[in-house]
Amino acid sequence: MAACGEPGKQRQEEVAAAAVVVVGSCMTDLVSLTARLPKIGETIHGHKFFIGFGGKGANQCVQAARLGAKTSMVCKVGKDSFGNDYIENLKQNGISTEFTYQTKDAATGAASIIVNDEGQNIIVIVAGANLLLNTEDLREAASVISRAKVMVCQLEITPATSLEALTMARNCGVKTLFNPAPAIADLAPQFYALSDVFCCNESEAEILTGLTVSSPEEAGKAALVLLRRGCQVVVITLGAEGCMMVSQTDPVPKHVHTEKVKAVDTTGAGDSFVGALAFYLAYHPHLSLEEMLQRSNRIAAVSVQTAGTQTSYPFKEDLPPTLF
Ligand SMILES: Nc1ncnc2c1ncn2[C@@H]1O[C@H](COP(=O)(O)OP(=O)(O)O)[C@@H](O)[C@H]1O
Ligand SMILES: *[C@@H]1O[C@H](CO)[C@@H](O)[C@H](O)[C@H]1NC(C)=O
């Protein structure tokens, strides 16, 4: 069991601590655009190929960093060119990579994605090095974890590692923001108890509760079910409808509306939302939850209006000062 204040890696110089620490995934997206999806055994020509930076953990970290948060990414990539490029991408975004590990034992996580002209896709994800991030790695990072304001976790790494990260944060009084994505039906009960904020989308809420979630009203009911499992706050994102919120201190579900925008590419909208929420929890803790969610809605709305995942995430400089 992780206690707070365990000896971590000793530092030569005292640097300002990261306020937002993400313990999660990095994935390289390999995207091919084709007229139609290939059949089994078939080789077809596509008209465009590009490589993108993804993985829910890194996406959320990048969005928080672009809003001005001091961030640290605790994750594992391969000792390969994709891993080297990923570390460079994190640095370019001003994220600390002090605890971004590289392993020879697996390749950097990768998602092979084929998208046809109708926007339909087939995707194969190989989590690779992400699954090798372990509790020993977390212990080495104990000093950054214990000094953070907010820790963010998802489920694209080994669940036991996420659980240990959340436990370490909780024991140090660090606020936990948990995004149960991709969702699993039999999520361990400790995940709920360890979540100060539990944030998922409608399909994840369906998987976790077994309820149908296709309206704000149904999302409110699902949020109450999740709240009863022990989270302090539950947020369910609703695409263009904004999100629902409910908390132990105000257990009446509330719909946080947003201004609908015309979406160009919604990939990674949920990660933009979670990254923005992490920023507000760390840097504007005295705002009401509703106000933080309204602002997170507005930031995620910007991200759906241009193509790509991280490439669509706005910077502080591009946003109205009233959001800060
Ligand atoms: N068309 C839209 N107009 C305005 N905001 C949007 C739109 N689509 C998504 N958003 C914002 O992005 C957030 C996440 O979107 P959602 O579709 O729920 O997540 P996911 O990326 O997990 O599918 C929403 O809560 C909302 O704030
Ligand atoms: C919710 O997020 C998952 C990824 O975890 C995604 O596959 C799914 O399409 C999203 N659902 C909605 C309703 O946005």
Side-chain angles (χ1 to χ4, degrees):
M1 207 36 146
C4 190
E6 267 183 274
K9 189 171 164 183
Q10 283 304 313
R11 286 139 175 280
Q12 295 307 314
E13 56 192 300
E14 192 58 34
V15 284
V20 174
V21 173
V22 177
V23 176
S25 56
C26 295
M27 301 266 185
T28 306
D29 293 336
L30 305 164
V31 187
S32 298
L33 306 184
T34 60
R36 60 177 180 83
L37 303 179
K39 298 186 171 65
I40 291 171
E42 190 187 18
T43 300
I44 61 170
H45 283 269
H47 52 266
K48 194 182 164 150
F49 173 80
F50 60 90
I51 295 179
F53 295 108
K56 293 173 191 297
N59 290 346
Q60 294 169 13
C61 197
V62 165
Q63 180 62 87
R66 289 188 181 177
L67 298 177
K70 207 168 152 44
T71 54
S72 182
M73 186 71 205
V74 180
C75 60
K76 196 167 270 185
V77 297
K79 233 179 178 40
D80 50 30
S81 56
F82 288 135
N84 295 341
D85 289 352
Y86 215 111
I87 290 171
E88 186 53 35
N89 171 56
L90 294 174
K91 287 182 176 159
Q92 291 271 326
N93 280 284
I95 296 165
S96 165
T97 57
E98 187 178 5
F99 299 104
T100 297
Y101 300 96
Q102 273 190 295
T103 177
K104 286 192 193 118
D105 298 335
T108 298
S112 302
I113 304 173
I114 301 171
V115 185
N116 71 13
D117 286 346
E118 280 108 85
Q120 297 168 312
N121 58 43
I122 49 173
I123 303 176
V124 178
I125 291 176
V126 182
N130 289 298
L131 299 181
L132 298 186
L133 185 72
N134 57 41
T135 53
E136 224 156 273
D137 299 326
L138 297 184
R139 274 200 220 308
E140 252 190 75
S143 62
V144 278
I145 291 172
S146 66
R147 290 186 295 163
K149 298 262 185 283
V150 176
M151 160 176 291
V152 191
C153 286
Q154 317 74 25
L155 290 174
E156 282 186 337
I157 60 173
T158 305
T161 306
S162 288
L163 210 47
E164 177 67 8
L166 292 168
T167 303
M168 286 172 75
R170 175 59 62 84
N171 289 344
C172 294
V174 176
K175 200 165 269 176
T176 56
L177 169 52
F178 178 56
N179 171 224
I184 42 174
D186 56 347
L187 186 67
Q190 302 98 294
F191 279 106
Y192 299 98
L194 288 168
S195 295
D196 290 315
V197 181
F198 187 96
C199 179
C200 65
N201 70 19
E202 292 164 285
S203 27
E204 288 150 359
E206 285 193 343
I207 293 167
L208 294 165
T209 63
L211 300 170
T212 301
V213 183
S214 53
S215 68
E217 203 185 330
E218 288 172 337
K221 289 189 180 136
L224 280 174
V225 169
L226 298 171
L227 188 75
R228 272 184 234 118
R229 295 182 186 168
C231 320
Q232 294 305 306
V233 168
V234 174
V235 177
I236 300 181
T237 62
L238 305 168
E241 295 297 320
C243 61
M244 288 301 293
M245 63 175 246
V246 70
S247 69
Q248 296 290 353
T249 50
D250 187 3
V252 180
K254 193 167 205 173
H255 187 175
V256 184
H257 295 269
T258 194
E259 198 177 311
K260 258 176 223 166
V261 300
K262 199 173 138 39
V264 172
D265 180 357
T266 60
T267 322
D271 292 337
S272 170
F273 182 94
V274 171
L277 182 53
F279 166 78
Y280 289 117
L281 288 167
Y283 285 87
H284 297 280
H286 299 300
L287 288 177
S288 67
L289 176 65
E290 186 176 5
E291 180 66 31
M292 291 188 202
L293 297 176
Q294 256 162 22
R295 294 185 191 193
S296 301
N297 274 336
R298 289 195 43 202
I299 288 163
V302 174
S303 83
V304 305
Q305 293 178 81
T306 48
T309 305
Q310 292 177 16
T311 47
S312 71
Y313 292 177
F315 291 81
K316 180 176 185 176
E317 298 72 43
D318 309 325
L319 294 161
T322 49
L323 288 177
F324 297 90

